[in-house]
Amino acid sequence: GSLALRAPSGGVVIAGTLNGKGGTHGEGSSLLVDTQAIDMGEIETLNAQDGFTGSIALRQEGAGDLVVSAGQSLVATRITLEADQGGVDIAGTLDTRSPTGGSVSIGASGTVSVEGSILADATGYATRGGSIELDSSAGGTLLHTGSVLSVGGKGGSQTGTVLLRLPAALAETVLTASPGSAALQMDGVISGAAHTVVEGYHTYDTQGSVFAAYQNGGVIDAAVTTADPSNPIWSDAAAFGAEADAIAAALGKGGDTTFAVLPGVEITSTGDLNVVGTWDFSPANVGPNGYTWRFGPAGDLPGLLTLRAAGSLNLYGSLSDGFNGTSVYGGAFALQPGTGPSWSYRLVGGSD
């Protein structure tokens, strides 16, 4: 079963008894709470005593940090935490370990800080792993000494993924800030990850100055998708990609083949967002002056694209990478050999 408690402009008070326990061999119920302020003590009781151990999704829309204090723990198959007007602080434990791997996603307008443990391992299979995503839109991401992020498979295999997502300007503070004061800190332990990615992203609103300069009505067309220094979106991604090796080295990850620093492009719209042209990220798609959507000193780094619309997200064109063009004719849709890692997409419609 599942229980959703929503009071976006008020509060949620749980005064009665709720039973989310599954039957014999059954899973616990899922829980969603969306309110101005989250009482983590109540949530912990619902989780530990009342059987809400399926997925747990908590959204705090009011001001203040969302905190899992030292000694507190949440155990579920999937955990999502969001703080619209503050940070998220994990001093306790988030545990989504399962036979096939768990998932933890944390988003905050402020700082995402971890002093405790986030566990998402696959306990039943050496070939499976979990995933952890930490997303800060303003404050930064701090993995303090003693913190643990664990996403591996059975027997300690490196099969999981970790994504640390923050604005490019905050990621770049590791190059200039004094020790211990950068907005991105990785002093904890990341265990079992086949891939750990730091995404430093730039955000563009279709009503903002960059799109105003395109004079295209706020749609995603050739003006947006052309790989060329004359395109601000491309040049921002290229500038961050050029710093990827230096950022990795500053974080103590230079030469670590499981670690990557990648540029992110986020395009948002307060209404509908329309993709009317083809956005071909393939290195075979060369721009008018010889540039591609690959970056870094070696020219081999892809990026991450986020399209986020408050209204509908309409794809009238194609998003593609690694294929021989985007036409159904002439042998297209064939994977190109040797292109390496490709771009990743995050597509969101109806966001708030």
Side-chain angles (χ1 to χ4, degrees), residues 55-328:
S55 65
I56 294 178
L58 308 178
R59 181 181 181 185
Q60 180 166 289
E61 298 201 35
D65 294 344
L66 183 56
V67 178
V68 179
S69 300
Q72 288 185 321
S73 65
L74 297 177
V75 180
T77 57
R78 175 182 173 84
I79 296 175
T80 303
L81 305 180
E82 298 179 71
D84 288 9
Q85 299 185 59
V88 175
D89 185 4
I90 309 300
T93 301
L94 303 180
D95 187 350
T96 64
R97 290 175 292 183
S98 72
T100 56
S103 172
V104 175
S105 177
I106 296 175
S109 64
T111 301
V112 176
S113 182
V114 183
E115 301 92 2
S117 299
I118 302 178
L119 311 176
D121 306 89
T123 58
Y125 300 90
T127 56
R128 301 292 296 269
S131 65
I132 296 173
E133 178 176 338
L134 308 182
D135 187 341
S136 168
S137 62
T141 302
L142 308 178
L143 305 182
H144 295 281
T145 300
S147 65
V148 175
L149 274 59
S150 188
V151 292
K154 184 178 180 180
S157 61
Q158 290 185 289
T159 45
T161 59
V162 173
L163 172 63
L164 309 179
R165 188 171 187 268
L166 70 168
L170 295 181
E172 290 166 340
T173 62
V174 303
L175 301 176
T176 58
S178 58
S181 61
L184 174 60
Q185 298 177 30
M186 298 183 63
D187 297 323
V189 173
I190 296 178
S191 173
H195 303 286
T196 298
V197 172
V198 170
E199 176 192 351
Y201 67 91
H202 291 85
T203 300
Y204 312 89
D205 189 273
T206 55
Q207 300 301 311
S209 59
V210 169
F211 271 82
Y214 289 139
Q215 298 182 344
N216 64 358
V219 300
I220 295 176
D221 61 5
V224 179
T225 64
T226 298
D228 194 77
S230 63
N231 178 0
I233 291 179
W234 183 92
S235 60
D236 284 344
F240 185 80
E243 297 177 327
D245 285 356
I247 291 173
L251 293 168
K253 300 294 184 180
D256 186 344
T257 58
T258 69
F259 184 83
V261 177
L262 302 178
V265 174
E266 179 171 30
I267 299 175
T268 65
S269 173
T270 56
D272 292 348
L273 181 56
N274 299 315
V275 180
V276 300
T278 292
W279 201 336
D280 187 355
F281 294 100
S282 171
N285 180 33
V286 181
N289 293 302
Y291 297 95
T292 73
W293 286 96
R294 290 294 193 276
F295 310 106
D300 59 352
L301 293 181
L304 300 95
L305 173 68
T306 300
L307 303 180
R308 194 185 308 275
S312 297
L313 175 58
N314 300 307
L315 296 173
Y316 300 110
S318 299
L319 300 176
S320 179
D321 189 7
F323 292 89
N324 180 26
T326 57
S327 169
V328 296

